[in-house]
Short mmCIF file of all heavy atoms in Angstrom, two decimals:
data_model
loop_
_atom_site.label_atom_id
_atom_site.label_comp_id
_atom_site.label_asym_id
_atom_site.label_seq_id
_atom_site.Cartn_x
_atom_site.Cartn_y
_atom_site.Cartn_z
N GLN A 894 28.26 18.49 -12.93
CA GLN A 894 28.04 19.16 -14.29
C GLN A 894 27.45 20.59 -14.07
O GLN A 894 27.81 21.49 -14.80
CB GLN A 894 27.05 18.31 -15.04
CG GLN A 894 27.63 16.90 -15.44
CD GLN A 894 26.56 16.03 -16.22
OE1 GLN A 894 25.44 16.51 -16.29
NE2 GLN A 894 26.98 14.90 -16.66
N ASN A 895 26.60 20.67 -13.10
CA ASN A 895 25.99 22.06 -12.79
C ASN A 895 27.08 22.96 -12.32
O ASN A 895 27.05 24.16 -12.58
CB ASN A 895 24.89 21.97 -11.73
CG ASN A 895 23.61 21.28 -12.32
OD1 ASN A 895 23.46 21.17 -13.58
ND2 ASN A 895 22.84 20.66 -11.44
N THR A 896 28.01 22.45 -11.55
CA THR A 896 29.12 23.30 -11.00
C THR A 896 29.95 23.70 -12.13
O THR A 896 30.41 24.94 -12.23
CB THR A 896 29.98 22.56 -9.98
OG1 THR A 896 29.10 22.15 -8.89
CG2 THR A 896 31.11 23.41 -9.44
N ALA A 897 30.33 22.78 -13.03
CA ALA A 897 31.24 23.23 -14.10
C ALA A 897 30.53 24.22 -15.15
O ALA A 897 31.10 25.14 -15.62
CB ALA A 897 31.58 21.90 -15.01
N LEU A 898 29.21 23.96 -15.27
CA LEU A 898 28.47 24.87 -16.16
C LEU A 898 28.34 26.22 -15.43
O LEU A 898 28.42 27.35 -16.21
CB LEU A 898 26.98 24.34 -16.36
CG LEU A 898 26.03 25.12 -17.14
CD1 LEU A 898 26.57 25.29 -18.60
CD2 LEU A 898 24.63 24.52 -17.29
N ALA A 899 28.30 26.24 -14.16
CA ALA A 899 28.15 27.59 -13.53
C ALA A 899 29.49 28.27 -13.65
O ALA A 899 29.51 29.51 -13.92
CB ALA A 899 27.81 27.35 -12.03
N GLN A 900 30.58 27.55 -13.64
CA GLN A 900 31.90 28.12 -13.62
C GLN A 900 32.11 28.72 -15.13
O GLN A 900 32.65 29.78 -15.35
CB GLN A 900 33.00 27.16 -13.42
CG GLN A 900 33.04 26.68 -11.88
CD GLN A 900 34.02 25.72 -11.60
OE1 GLN A 900 34.58 25.03 -12.54
NE2 GLN A 900 34.24 25.22 -10.38
N THR A 901 31.53 27.89 -16.10
CA THR A 901 31.69 28.40 -17.50
C THR A 901 30.84 29.68 -17.72
O THR A 901 31.18 30.62 -18.40
CB THR A 901 31.09 27.24 -18.49
OG1 THR A 901 31.86 26.12 -18.22
CG2 THR A 901 31.23 27.62 -19.84
N VAL A 902 29.61 29.64 -17.10
CA VAL A 902 28.83 30.93 -17.29
C VAL A 902 29.50 32.09 -16.64
O VAL A 902 29.38 33.19 -17.09
CB VAL A 902 27.37 30.63 -16.61
CG1 VAL A 902 26.58 31.86 -16.55
CG2 VAL A 902 26.66 29.50 -17.39
N GLN A 903 30.00 31.83 -15.48
CA GLN A 903 30.83 32.99 -14.79
C GLN A 903 31.96 33.46 -15.66
O GLN A 903 32.08 34.69 -15.80
CB GLN A 903 31.31 32.52 -13.42
CG GLN A 903 30.18 32.15 -12.34
CD GLN A 903 29.46 33.40 -11.91
OE1 GLN A 903 30.01 34.56 -12.07
NE2 GLN A 903 28.35 33.27 -11.55
N ALA A 904 32.70 32.53 -16.25
CA ALA A 904 33.81 32.99 -17.05
C ALA A 904 33.33 33.63 -18.31
O ALA A 904 33.89 34.78 -18.67
CB ALA A 904 34.59 31.69 -17.58
N GLN A 905 32.17 33.27 -19.00
CA GLN A 905 31.68 34.02 -20.03
C GLN A 905 31.14 35.31 -19.68
O GLN A 905 31.24 36.32 -20.44
CB GLN A 905 30.57 33.08 -20.65
CG GLN A 905 31.08 31.92 -21.36
CD GLN A 905 29.93 30.96 -21.90
OE1 GLN A 905 28.83 31.21 -21.66
NE2 GLN A 905 30.30 30.03 -22.63
N ARG A 906 30.48 35.42 -18.37
CA ARG A 906 30.01 36.73 -17.92
C ARG A 906 31.17 37.67 -17.77
O ARG A 906 31.11 38.79 -18.11
CB ARG A 906 29.25 36.54 -16.69
CG ARG A 906 28.68 37.73 -16.03
CD ARG A 906 27.92 37.49 -14.86
NE ARG A 906 26.77 36.58 -15.14
CZ ARG A 906 25.97 36.07 -14.21
NH1 ARG A 906 26.17 36.27 -13.01
NH2 ARG A 906 24.91 35.21 -14.65
N ARG A 907 32.29 37.14 -17.16
CA ARG A 907 33.48 38.06 -17.03
C ARG A 907 34.09 38.49 -18.39
O ARG A 907 34.44 39.72 -18.54
CB ARG A 907 34.55 37.41 -16.17
CG ARG A 907 34.28 37.14 -14.65
CD ARG A 907 35.52 36.74 -13.92
NE ARG A 907 35.94 35.37 -14.37
CZ ARG A 907 35.54 34.25 -13.80
NH1 ARG A 907 34.60 34.26 -12.77
NH2 ARG A 907 36.02 33.13 -14.16
#
Side-chain angles (χ1 to χ4, degrees):
Q894 293 175 358
N895 290 339
T896 301
L898 181 60
Q900 293 176 353
T901 302
V902 171
Q903 291 293 337
Q905 292 177 350
R906 182 175 298 174
R907 288 192 296 268

